[in-house]
Amino acid sequence: MRPPYTCNRCLSLIKSSRPQLRPTPPVRIPRRHHSTKPALPKLSLPKRGLSSTANRKFNQAFEPFEYVDPEGQRRRTVLSEDNLFHSFTHSPVPEIRKRAAFMRQHAYCPHPSHKPTRVAHSDGDLESRKSSETGTVPAHVNFECPDCGVPVYCCEEHWADDYEAHLEVCDVIREINQDDHDLRSGRFFKEFEFAEPQMEEILVNMTSWDTYLYTRDYDALNEDREMRQATKLLTYPMTIASVIHELSPYNIRSGGSMTPEGLKSFSALRHTLHPPRTGGGDTWKNPRLAPPAVRIFVLGARAESSLPRETWMQMIYLFHRVQFSLNFIGPEAMMNRSEPLPERTPNNPFGAVVEDRISNALKISTFVEYYHTLHKTGHFYPYDPYFDVFVVFHPGFGNPASMHEWEETLPLLLETKCPIIATGYSPWDTKQDVDFLQTRFSNEMDILLDPMENRFRSLRWDINDFDPHDVSCDNWGLYAFRGKRYETTRKDADEEVHSERTE
Amino acid sequence: MPYRPFQSTYYNERMQASPALLRARAPYLVKNTITGAAIVALVIGIYTYTIKVISQDEFEDVIVPPEPVRRPQSGSTTDEVKLAMAQKKQ
């Protein structure tokens, strides 16, 4: 192509006489989010065949380079899209190297020749293969599997020996490895730009993540990695919303997992969540009395309370003309948060961090306390099944490490007769919790939602640093229960339990 | 990705459905295809029946009248009328 600005003859003369002076390669255009999409179109100005600026080359893929993202902020990319799989020990990200060192100090090799270090939690657990009589001293993990990049066994012989068991989780761990590097690569995350609120008449289809994202008009998440990163955050608000919304995918037909008791509880909630239009508006000319806010108590809150507020607002955008009060209660509720706890005053007797400026429909309060402490003071009394719902995210009711913390809280929760939505972080964890509840409280509680895989679970899996083979995903399993109501009966009359007349 | 304000992200530059859109449509693909096929079959059926009922091949029930006897053509019609009026006057 004829260069438009430089004379052809001059060009050929210069090029032939000075072979070192090459035309600059095009500036490395930052690859935004897919490696499959073509790079940004070149500048519309025609390029000169010869340039007077210095020759710039981008050699290593993870040499950090600065770029300006679509929001106009300068960011530093550390890793590119196709360079995300790195061994944890030799990772370019220092945080991940620290994690690898932590794993080497705390995680034990799962090969059956060692002695067991903990109780096996399920039949599929690798600890159950170990025996305490014939086992050798337990060893910390040291050897990194070359396929997944995470230290999983103590030595190469054990890894090769136990290869079939490792293969079950190897590709999941590899994916986790890539996702963790991706999160710290410094790229612009378009999947964390959530959708704006829509009008009430647009019905949201909550059959699955894809239909939800499409009907809520999110930007299209075409890549699997984008879906995984986005759903890891969105799973918390969407798990709650998918259960309490009237367009919930859980129904009382034989495939849907709701029970008739569940339908009763959630219909009461939905009566408040979808109020009929009253003719009122947001001007002074047509005010109407508003009902009290719907209270959602998130118990045992850890990382959920530090989720960006825009994420929690995605749940609020599904409900119109309703106000919500979200209460995070738990001893670790201020995890990852840097706000100082306020003093305990008569107006704020538990030193809660209250955020009421998020929106006119949402107020978030964080209590760093056990729930049973707050319950016994009657701070939230009265509990109304039309307005209140309890949510527990992977509580570990049946997990020996956390069972004792829920001892006191569970009977009090059942006493309130409000629905309790609970999740589990893997199939065996959900089963462990449900089995514990059934054995301990079977005649005091009703199951509202049968335990099954959550449609709005996080699609991204995580490694447990204490046991790399225990891969978990947020909110994998979902179930709901409620305390049974005891009706007073006459001594001589027939006992009617849960009939239409007495309830 | 450049921000295109009036183009939906669910379609690429050539207006083909993106993977996210195809995934969102997937649970309804079979049911919608069957419904579409049923509607098209209904339309074809209506057309076929109508055309079949109104199209006939036998015409025996139509009686063609015999050719009327014609007078030899003497002139135009106006001359004939004038002749008839003159005959009437007389």
Side-chain angles (χ1 to χ4, degrees):
Chain A
M1 187 176 113
R2 195 172 156 275
Y5 296 115
T6 315
C7 159
N8 254 336
R9 271 210 230 149
C10 304
L11 205 59
S12 51
L13 197 67
I14 295 176
K15 275 188 181 163
S16 58
S17 65
R18 294 168 66 176
Q20 300 96 331
L21 199 72
R22 298 201 188 286
T24 48
V27 173
R28 166 99 184 268
I29 295 157
R31 299 236 228 117
R32 289 295 150 87
H33 20 270
H34 326 284
S35 45
T36 52
K37 287 251 163 191
L40 286 175
K42 298 220 172 35
L43 302 170
S44 53
L45 301 170
K47 284 256 165 76
R48 294 183 64 169
L50 202 61
S51 166
S52 49
T53 56
N55 200 356
R56 273 182 292 164
K57 265 172 63 175
F58 285 86
N59 36 19
Q60 291 118 339
F62 57 84
E63 191 171 297
F65 74 100
E66 308 246 339
Y67 72 102
V68 182
D69 71 16
E71 281 180 346
Q73 289 175 13
R74 299 186 66 82
R75 285 171 186 268
R76 270 174 98 241
T77 309
V78 178
L79 293 168
S80 70
E81 277 295 313
D82 46 2
N83 191 17
L84 289 174
F85 176 61
H86 295 277
S87 122
F88 264 30
T89 331
H90 306 292
S91 164
V93 180
E95 222 177 281
I96 296 186
R97 289 199 296 266
K98 271 194 214 133
R99 268 183 82 178
F102 183 88
M103 274 195 242
R104 287 206 155 83
Q105 286 173 350
H106 290 90
Y108 288 100
C109 177
H111 193 266
S113 71
H114 295 285
K115 276 205 193 90
T117 50
R118 57 179 172 83
V119 179
H121 49 64
S122 69
D123 298 328
D125 192 6
L126 298 177
E127 285 287 303
S128 53
R129 302 176 310 172
K130 298 183 182 174
S131 87
S132 34
E133 294 89 35
T134 62
T136 59
V137 175
H140 286 292
V141 293
N142 197 16
F143 174 72
E144 258 185 24
C145 166
D147 296 323
C148 48
V150 168
V152 278
Y153 283 96
C154 61
C155 50
E156 196 167 348
E157 293 85 42
H158 281 180
W159 170 69
D161 196 32
D162 208 21
Y163 198 55
E164 299 90 39
H166 179 64
L167 263 184
E168 290 166 25
V169 287
C170 191
D171 28 356
V172 178
I173 298 181
R174 191 195 168 97
E175 215 175 63
I176 296 171
N177 186 330
Q178 289 176 322
D179 287 342
D180 277 337
H181 280 101
D182 182 48
L183 207 54
R184 292 167 181 87
S185 68
R187 67 178 172 96
F188 173 66
F189 288 98
K190 98 170 202 297
E191 53 263 40
F192 295 150
E193 308 294 311
F194 295 142
E196 283 153 11
Q198 284 172 322
M199 59 181 178
E200 191 172 347
E201 284 74 18
I202 296 182
L203 296 182
V204 179
N205 184 335
M206 289 195 262
T207 318
S208 69
W209 276 118
D210 301 302
T211 59
Y212 164 73
L213 294 172
Y214 181 63
T215 48
R216 268 289 283 132
D217 208 19
Y218 280 70
D219 278 346
L221 300 179
N222 294 318
E223 301 279 323
D224 279 338
R225 178 160 298 127
E226 295 176 338
M227 279 290 283
R228 289 199 294 266
Q229 305 280 25
T231 56
K232 181 162 162 84
L233 289 191
L234 282 173
T235 178
Y236 291 99
M238 278 317 294
T239 304
I240 307 176
S242 68
V243 175
I244 59 180
H245 201 276
E246 67 177 354
L247 300 175
S248 145
Y250 308 113
N251 48 42
I252 55 171
R253 292 197 287 257
S254 62
S257 23
M258 195 170 274
T259 59
E261 287 300 321
L263 193 61
K264 285 182 200 168
S265 271
F266 292 119
S267 300
L269 261 180
R270 288 167 192 169
H271 177 85
T272 325
L273 289 167
H274 300 278
R277 289 192 186 268
T278 53
D282 45 358
T283 65
W284 288 109
K285 290 192 182 160
N286 51 357
R288 295 283 184 277
L289 264 181
V294 172
R295 295 188 297 183
I296 301 181
F297 297 97
V298 179
L299 306 186
R302 295 177 293 262
E304 300 83 66
S305 70
S306 61
L307 275 179
R309 296 321 180 210
E310 188 52 43
T311 311
W312 285 111
M313 282 305 293
Q314 289 300 323
M315 176 176 68
I316 311 302
Y317 292 148
L318 292 170
F319 301 98
H320 305 269
R321 292 172 284 118
V322 181
Q323 293 182 310
F324 285 84
S325 167
L326 196 53
N327 300 289
F328 294 112
I329 302 172
E332 297 166 45
M334 287 297 283
M335 207 166 94
N336 295 341
R337 285 169 70 171
S338 51
E339 300 133 309
L341 283 177
E343 288 174 3
R344 300 188 168 209
T345 63
N347 274 343
N348 187 355
F350 299 101
V353 179
V354 177
E355 300 161 59
D356 49 2
R357 296 300 171 107
I358 305 167
S359 149
N360 64 334
L362 178 62
K363 170 175 118 165
I364 299 185
S365 321
T366 312
F367 296 82
V368 185
E369 281 284 356
Y370 280 104
Y371 176 73
H372 48 256
T373 322
L374 295 175
H375 183 101
K376 286 178 191 164
T377 64
H379 183 66
F380 296 117
Y381 196 77
Y383 295 95
D384 190 343
Y386 279 76
F387 287 95
D388 301 333
V389 61
F390 291 91
V391 184
V392 273
F393 292 114
H394 351 103
F397 291 139
N399 194 330
S402 49
M403 252 165 78
H404 60 280
E405 297 182 23
W406 292 102
E407 266 307 319
E408 275 195 72
T409 308
L410 272 174
L412 298 176
L413 283 183
L414 295 177
E415 228 177 67
T416 64
K417 311 290 190 272
C418 293
I420 305 159
I421 302 172
T423 65
Y425 67 74
S426 62
W428 62 262
D429 182 59
T430 316
K431 187 166 177 312
Q432 192 180 51
D433 290 351
V434 173
D435 287 345
F436 169 76
L437 286 174
Q438 296 279 26
T439 46
R440 172 89 174 73
F441 294 110
S442 66
N443 57 346
E444 289 172 51
M445 75 169 192
D446 288 322
I447 295 276
L448 306 178
L449 267 182
D450 290 325
M452 77 305 176
E453 184 178 347
N454 187 359
R455 280 175 206 240
F456 288 96
R457 67 174 178 92
S458 157
L459 295 172
R460 187 178 146 194
W461 292 84
D462 291 308
I463 323 177
N464 181 357
D465 279 354
F466 289 95
D467 183 8
H469 277 258
D470 177 23
V471 284
S472 60
C473 88
D474 296 351
N475 300 332
W476 187 92
L478 176 68
Y479 58 98
F481 59 100
R482 174 197 76 187
K484 235 193 245 269
R485 294 195 290 206
Y486 294 104
E487 307 294 335
T488 57
T489 54
R490 291 180 190 281
K491 239 176 158 180
D492 44 5
D494 290 343
E495 211 185 309
E496 281 175 291
V497 183
H498 292 297
S499 77
E500 296 300 333
R501 195 173 65 81
T502 54
E503 283 195 351
Chain B
M1 166 112 54
Y3 171 59
R4 297 205 174 88
F6 296 108
Q7 184 180 349
S8 164
T9 48
Y10 286 93
Y11 295 92
N12 60 16
E13 310 82 45
R14 291 189 279 160
M15 280 315 265
Q16 290 160 335
S18 71
L21 181 58
L22 293 170
R23 267 185 274 133
R25 286 179 180 166
Y28 305 103
L29 200 57
V30 175
K31 283 187 280 191
N32 284 355
T33 318
I34 293 174
T35 311
I39 293 174
V40 168
L42 181 72
V43 169
I44 292 177
I46 291 174
Y47 267 95
T48 322
Y49 172 75
T50 313
I51 294 175
K52 191 157 156 271
V53 163
I54 63 175
S55 73
Q56 297 165 310
D57 290 324
E58 306 89 30
F59 294 102
E60 274 92 30
D61 52 341
V62 177
I63 301 165
V64 181
E67 282 280 325
V69 174
R70 281 189 184 265
R71 273 184 255 153
Q73 203 65 305
S74 50
S76 72
T77 339
T78 46
D79 291 349
E80 280 190 4
V81 167
K82 275 191 192 158
L83 204 62
M85 293 288 285
Q87 279 185 350
K88 240 178 64 176
K89 275 188 190 160
Q90 285 173 1

